[in-house]
Amino acid sequence: MFSRQFLLAPRAMDVPPGWKRTGIGGFILHSAPDLPLIALAHAEGEGLILGWPIHQGRLLCDGETAAVSESACAPLFTGISGRFLILEVRGGVLRAYPDPCGLLPAVYCPSQRVFASSSGLIPSIEDCGDDVELQAAFDIPAKSNWYPFGLTGRRNVRRLLPNHVLDLETFVAGRYWPDTDLHALRDGSETGPMVAEIARLLRENVGAVAAQDQVMCNLTAGRDSRMMLAAARDHVDDITFSTFRFPDRTGAGDTEMASRIAARFGLRHSILDCLDPIEADLADWLRDTGTCVAGRTLQLATTSKHVARMARFSLTGLAGELGRSVDWRKADAGETSLSTDMLLKRLGVDVQRLPPSVEAAGDVWRAALGPVPLSLQLDIALVDLWLGSCSGPSFYGHCHGGISISPFNDRRIIDLMLRLPHRYRIEQRLTIDLLDLMWPELNLFPFNPATSGRRARWRDRFRAAYKRLKNAIPRKFDKTILAGRKL
């Protein structure tokens, strides 16, 4: 029950048996025994890192200390990646900072002065009981929904979104990222150094996880898992690759393509059948996540228990989609913003009529973001409202499986991906360029052939073949040819 979770309050609270108690900044941190606590030390303050942080190329363990320079401290904590949450005491004030994508999620209740991993740990008293109107509108788990804009299914219980800091003296949260200078490069700009740095950081993050025992990596027909495989090239003998056989067209495509790739490169590969979830496992999932997310990930509630013995850690490609414009549309050209209803539909939320509380929360979210281009607004929505509000909370539902860590959940990688030129991202060129740097032969296999059209598949193949041919021509010879074409 509530594995890998925590609760922070200024007083002792009723928590599951066996939980640890740690004092910090005038509060008591109650934490599950399987949640690592790492000391944070720097010149201006101290604190704790909860979870599984990667620092200086290592996945830190329970009881270790992370010493960081002042330039790498709050609020961005650059140089720390993985799945984590930071509690920092500075100037006598305790503050909470989620990781860049909010993959170790948390909620808070100002009236009770409680900060916790999920709403199920916060006492249900009169002013923070069920939000009946919100629950009826989102209809979780009957619909594949989740709560956006920091809302939960409880009144006066809010989610701490990624890129926000919670002041635990006032219990007020505020945005600190993106910076005002986060702008995409002009189309046609040189991207080579940026791609090379992304590749270096991905290799470093993957290597830190691969150094552990019993590591599994998801392998599909998609781009994100292909980039992870490329980054893991030096560690494939230490990793078991796995593919879930979902009973749909996408699942069939993933199974077929992953099997081909595994056979070609001699990977240790398992195909995992998806088991129908049983009622007891669904009930556990909803309890541990705070009944805040459903959908395809919920259907793995029983499957994740059966694969738990296969791995202690797993690599996931979450946030890799930020390198391409997955939520942009041609019709967005010239637009400056989307309505709350249209934004949520773009992200996949299925609600017939939004309650006023959602509209109001959407207005607050946009106002805090400021006057940014619609393209950046959509990118930040993907982080705040999808990764941090749906993917993150799912982690607590899969508490029986290995610790899943995304090598893309790295502040520097995310900044670099969002600075790539718009056309570069629209054409989805990052994957091909990264594979060319790390494992070129992986570009021989098409991406998502079961769901993409024939034209897209041939386009990907042509781009990869053209780049390999171009790189194979000596520079001197290449200039001679180009000069000859001009004559």
Side-chain angles (χ1 to χ4, degrees), residues 59-229:
L59 181 63
L60 301 184
C61 301
D62 185 44
E64 290 194 73
T65 297
V68 297
S69 63
E70 186 60 24
S71 61
C73 287
L76 297 179
F77 291 101
T78 52
I80 302 178
S81 56
R83 187 187 287 268
F84 62 91
L85 184 141
I86 292 178
L87 297 173
E88 185 198 46
V89 181
R90 185 187 289 252
V93 178
L94 180 63
R95 297 179 178 87
Y97 300 86
D99 63 48
C101 294
L103 298 186
L104 190 69
V107 296
Y108 60 98
C109 178
S111 62
Q112 298 188 59
R113 296 181 60 77
V114 173
F115 178 61
S117 48
S118 64
S119 60
L121 286 166
I122 296 180
S124 182
I125 60 177
E126 185 176 354
D127 72 333
C128 59
D130 290 345
D131 188 327
V132 178
E133 182 183 34
L134 199 63
Q135 290 182 3
F138 283 79
D139 198 13
I140 299 171
K143 288 186 176 181
S144 300
N145 278 336
W146 66 93
Y147 296 115
F149 304 121
L151 298 171
T152 71
R154 301 265 300 275
R155 289 178 287 111
N156 297 320
V157 176
R158 301 298 301 263
R159 181 167 304 286
L160 178 58
L161 293 175
N163 311 307
H164 290 67
V165 54
L166 177 65
D167 184 319
L168 287 158
E169 185 174 289
T170 62
F171 270 81
V172 174
R175 178 180 291 281
Y176 63 82
W177 184 89
D179 315 90
T180 55
D181 66 343
L182 181 59
H183 299 293
L185 296 178
R186 293 179 180 273
D187 289 336
S189 299
E190 173 60 41
T191 58
M194 300 171 71
V195 174
E197 186 174 356
I198 293 173
R200 178 184 63 80
L201 292 169
L202 284 176
R203 284 192 185 109
E204 184 176 289
N205 292 341
V206 167
V209 178
Q212 312 306 308
D213 295 329
Q214 293 180 282
V215 177
M216 181 179 287
C217 181
N218 190 34
L219 186 59
T220 69
R223 294 171 178 269
D224 303 329
S225 74
R226 196 80 56 87
M227 289 186 284
M228 282 197 302
L229 172 57

Side-chain angles (χ1 to χ4, degrees), residues 346-393:
R346 185 76 60 90
L347 293 171
V349 173
D350 177 19
V351 175
Q352 293 297 321
R353 186 183 65 82
L354 291 178
S357 60
V358 179
E359 295 280 6
D363 291 342
V364 170
W365 180 83
R366 271 191 298 272
L369 192 57
V372 300
L374 178 57
S375 57
L376 182 57
Q377 185 181 129
L378 290 168
D379 291 336
I380 303 305
L382 182 65
V383 177
D384 288 4
L385 311 182
W386 164 249
L387 293 169
S389 303
C390 178
S391 299

Side-chain angles (χ1 to χ4, degrees), residues 167 266 317 406 411 470:
D167 184 319
S406 171
R411 176 64 66 198
K470 182 180 178 182

